[in-house]
Amino acid sequence: MSRQSLPFVSALLFGALCLPQVGLAQKTLSLLDAIEMAKQRNGDVRSAYLDLQTSRSRVKQAFADFLPTVIPNYRYLHDRSQVFTGASAGSSTSNTRTSSVSADWLLLDLGQRDWSYRAARRGADASEASTTGTVRNVLFAILQRYFDTIRARELLRVSETQVNRAETTLEATKLQIEVGAAPKKDELQAKADLLNAKVGLLQSQNLTATSESDLKAIIGWNAEETLPDLEKITAPSTFPEVAETEDLIKEGLRDRPDLVALRKRVEAQEFSRRIAERNSQVSLSVSASYDRFFSPLVQDSRQLTVLASMPLFDGGYSKESARQARYALESLKAQLMQAERDAVADIESARTVLAQNVLRVQASQAALDAARLNYEAAAESHKAGAEGTSILTVLTAQVSLVTAESNFVEALFDYLISDARLKLATGKPLPGEQSKN
């Protein structure tokens, strides 16, 4: 992730937090509308934004060490005393007012301020990358639940169609039995098929309700409100070529926000290690101070301080601090190494799944076309009483069609989710990452 691309995160999040509410009465909820709603209401996104603001504040705080400190002071003292015995018995009251301005400036040290500032800058960069990663993970979760809800609704439609087909088959079978073209037992088979179709419909209804609840939760939709229609999804006629694994791994190791954040934390910890080691050795600083008193006397005081120090004995505190800083640095390097290994495995897996899902969509589309033609031919033949066409022929064709329809729906939405997952694994932007406003 280049530094030029980092500022988009704050703009994205600030814009998201200020967006007007998405209307609940709309007829169709698009994917981008769902994402924008989640940006407004999802706690993980807001938390990431606030963490980013905190890290940026630390940078400003570290830079302040290079600048002088000017502090005006005003003090009012009211003093009343009471002596009860002796020659000085009695009471006295005094009012004292003092005002001054103090200025202090650290002119020189052995690099601690610079290292502290650089560490804060790296920490801010790490927070920026982490925020990007958090936003993308939330976006992927929204996208996945949105597609899962459409998938469930499509499978529900398949189940409803299956019930309708089973009812039609049952009626056609009864007519065949009435004219003596089919045995009585065929009605039992048709009724059993209809009941099985109704059971499948109940299962689809449960899956749809669960998927809709999950989508409502992540985007912040009112649980009591019914979700509107979602965008229609059609299978693409062509599929973009999936890049080679080596290229994807190279891009992912370079662009993934979690890896960028870890590298920046390693760099920040390196500066923290230098500070800790410097504090355990000889330290040198040059500072200047100026005080101006306005009351009760007007006077100036100027000081130039050169301070050299070394922790001769502190119970091992400074040396152990330096050792802890080195251990922390090595720990982060080990985390980065393992994270890169995990990223490679994640990218390889995501690419493999996407490539397989492309083939699944293509194969299931062909199977669906064939199954639809086969069922239509069998149903028409059975309805017309064609010789050799039994209820078993129709039911077999019907089962093949339902299987083909379900397989196609599953393959299509698995493909869409796996495409987004590969983008996430390789550090690419996801749909809706840039706010609409």
Side-chain angles (χ1 to χ4, degrees), residues 78-81 91-95:
H78 174 76
D79 182 33
R80 186 177 186 279
S81 62
S91 62
S92 63
T93 302
S94 65
N95 296 292

Side-chain angles (χ1 to χ4, degrees), residues 63 68 77 84 87 89 120 122 155 161 197 246 307 335 350 385 397 402 404 414 421 425 434:
F63 183 75
L77 175 63
F84 295 97
R122 300 309 190 277
L155 292 175
T161 304
E246 294 76 10
L307 176 64
Q335 289 181 39
V402 171
D414 283 346
R421 183 188 167 215
Q434 297 292 347

Side-chain angles (χ1 to χ4, degrees), residues 110-283:
L110 295 183
Q112 290 95 323
R113 289 180 300 170
D114 180 60
W115 293 337
S116 178
Y117 176 69
R118 290 171 182 265
R121 287 287 301 271
R122 300 309 190 277
D125 291 343
S127 181
E128 192 104 39
S130 294
T131 301
T132 302
T134 297
V135 171
R136 287 180 181 170
N137 283 324
V138 172
L139 292 181
F140 177 75
I142 296 167
L143 182 148
Q144 185 173 27
R145 294 187 187 184
Y146 185 88
F147 284 150
D148 281 342
T149 301
I150 302 178
R151 182 210 308 261
R153 289 183 173 184
E154 287 297 310
L155 292 175
L156 176 60
R157 181 191 59 77
V158 170
S159 296
E160 290 171 343
T161 304
Q162 169 66 353
V163 170
N164 293 334
R165 291 195 192 107
E167 291 174 343
T168 300
T169 301
L170 177 59
E171 293 302 320
T173 302
K174 289 180 179 179
L175 291 175
Q176 294 293 325
I177 294 173
E178 288 178 4
V179 299
K184 181 66 177 176
K185 65 179 182 64
D186 283 359
E187 182 177 354
L188 298 177
Q189 181 64 54
K191 285 183 178 179
D193 185 66
L194 176 58
L195 293 174
N196 287 331
K198 289 182 177 180
V199 171
L201 177 60
L202 291 174
Q203 293 174 338
S204 297
Q205 289 172 340
N206 291 336
L207 176 62
T208 301
T210 302
S211 300
E212 290 180 352
S213 296
D214 291 341
L215 179 60
K216 287 180 182 179
I218 198 170
I219 67 175
W221 192 276
N222 188 342
E224 298 177 356
E225 296 284 341
T226 301
L227 275 176
D229 291 337
L230 305 183
E231 286 181 310
K232 297 295 183 182
I233 303 296
T234 57
S237 57
T238 59
F239 296 87
E241 183 178 355
V242 182
E244 294 297 327
T245 303
E246 294 76 10
D247 296 333
L248 293 173
I249 289 175
K250 181 179 179 180
E251 294 172 0
L253 293 179
R254 180 193 65 206
D255 298 335
R256 278 176 63 124
D258 57 333
L259 300 182
V260 173
L262 267 175
R263 293 188 189 105
K264 293 298 181 180
R265 291 193 181 101
V266 169
E267 295 175 11
Q269 184 58 36
E270 169 60 27
F271 289 117
S272 297
R273 179 196 64 79
R274 294 183 189 181
I275 294 172
E277 291 188 348
R278 175 61 65 192
N279 292 337
S280 69
Q281 302 167 1
V282 176
S283 179

Side-chain angles (χ1 to χ4, degrees), residues 278-333:
R278 175 61 65 192
N279 292 337
S280 69
Q281 302 167 1
V282 176
S283 179
L284 174 68
S285 65
V286 179
S287 59
S289 63
Y290 172 80
D291 295 285
R292 174 79 173 184
F293 298 90
F294 299 98
S295 63
L297 298 176
V298 178
Q299 63 181 27
D300 289 340
S301 174
R302 297 177 177 85
Q303 293 180 339
L304 180 67
T305 304
V306 179
L307 176 64
S309 63
M310 181 180 70
L312 183 62
F313 179 77
D314 59 2
Y317 179 87
S318 57
K319 291 186 180 298
E320 290 304 318
S321 295
R323 183 174 288 111
Q324 291 170 25
R326 290 195 296 271
Y327 289 154
L329 177 60
E330 293 304 315
S331 174
L332 283 173
K333 288 181 178 179

